[in-house]
Structures are given as C-alpha cells and as structure tokens.
Amino acid sequence: MRIAIASDHAGFIQKTPLVEYLQSLGHEVRDFGPSNEDRVDYPDFADKVARAVAAGQADRGVLICGTGIGMALTADKIAGIRASVIQTPEFAHLFREHNNGNVLCISGRFTALDLNKQIVEEFLTTEFGGGRHTGRVEKIMREDDANFCGVAE
Ligand code: RB5
C-alpha cells in the first residue's frame, strides 16, 4: 500500500520508527516531514498528507502530533478525507470497518510507540465492512458538497 506520513515536532520522535515499521511490512512510504524536531505547525503537515490521499497519490495517511487531535481536525476538512484520532487497535479496527477511515491520527505523547505500531497495523489490514455502513459513510461525505443544504428537520 502507498502510505503518506507526517508529524509535527511532538510526533517526530515516533515518525522515523513508524516509517521503518511500515517499510518492514512492505508498504511504500512517502514521508512528508518534518526532518527534525524544530517547532512546526501541525496543520501544514496534516494538509500535505490529507491532500496526497484525497488526490489518490497515497492509499492511506498516517499523522502524528502530540495528541493526534490537531492533525485530525485539519485533515478531516479536506474533501474526500475521513480522519480521526485513534488510541487503541480496537478503535483502529472499527474506524476502518465502520467508517472507511483513510487518515489515521495518533498521539506521539500519550500513546507508546509499540501500541501505535499495533494501531497502524490494524488500520492498514482491516477492510471496510460495506453493507449497512456504506450509506452512512456516503452521508458523512455529502458534507463535503458545498451544495448540500443539511438534513431537513
Ligand atoms: C503541539 O504542542 C501540540 O499542540 C500538537 O502536537 C498537537 O497535540 C495538537 O493537536
């Protein structure tokens, strides 16, 4: 799978080990930075990864910041992206199976690297469940449409 990955300074310490882990699993990884621990703004990196996924240049995205929250807030604003903060492998499984999530956002400060490796693996190996979840995911994505006026009362 083609994986786009990035962090901010707070997630940087886990980025290189996660890149190596993904490569060891056979994935093609594109690292969008940063290249050191200098302070940066997480929205700049979330934007790059989310746009790469939305454009079809990557199959999935992985973002690491202090909490994962800022990355998720930013990435989810890009049309075509379903991004969430994930803290357990079980949530990673459901994020894929129920929500067809395509950008995983994890915490470099509150989740240990070994657990994040399990989360990333679950995110990459779980298929979307389809069925009853399909229409719900379509309803998520209609929010990307500027012409959608909201659900009638
Ligand atoms: C950086 O201090 C921190 O705000 C950032 O890594 C992230 O946790 C934001 O959501």
Side-chain angles (χ1 to χ4, degrees):
M1 211 178 278
R2 298 166 305 156
I3 312 297
I5 191 168
S7 74
D8 69 355
H9 50 284
F12 181 76
I13 193 167
Q14 290 201 10
K15 181 162 64 69
T16 301
L18 286 170
V19 167
E20 290 168 357
Y21 179 63
L22 288 165
Q23 288 170 334
S24 78
L25 295 175
H27 297 291
E28 181 185 318
V29 184
R30 182 165 172 203
D31 184 350
F32 282 85
S35 56
N36 59 50
E37 273 181 307
D38 291 353
R39 286 194 174 277
V40 291
D41 294 333
Y42 57 82
D44 294 336
F45 293 87
D47 175 81
K48 292 178 195 181
V49 163
R51 286 179 188 272
V53 174
Q57 295 159 2
D59 301 306
R60 305 268 173 85
V62 176
L63 291 164
I64 319 142
C65 66
T67 58
I69 295 170
M71 291 294 200
L73 288 171
T74 309
D76 205 59
K77 290 189 179 295
I78 308 297
I81 296 304
R82 292 172 297 280
S84 183
V85 183
I86 298 294
Q87 292 170 298
T88 68
E90 291 80 8
F91 271 46
H93 187 89
L94 292 168
F95 179 48
R96 286 289 311 136
E97 188 176 273
H98 288 199
N99 313 117
N100 201 11
N102 53 11
V103 175
L104 176 78
C105 302
I106 52 179
S107 166
R109 283 185 175 151
F110 298 95
T111 309
L113 177 60
D114 279 352
L115 185 54
N116 270 335
K117 285 181 179 174
Q118 292 173 44
I119 289 168
V120 167
E121 188 180 1
E122 197 67 31
F123 171 65
L124 296 175
T125 56
T126 306
E127 294 296 327
F128 176 50
R132 70 185 189 279
H133 304 296
T134 301
R136 293 169 185 163
V137 171
E138 285 170 2
K139 286 185 175 182
I140 296 173
M141 302 321 289
R142 70 187 170 181
E143 304 289 350
D144 281 345
D145 181 356
N147 294 317
F148 177 59
C149 296
V151 177
E153 285 187 24

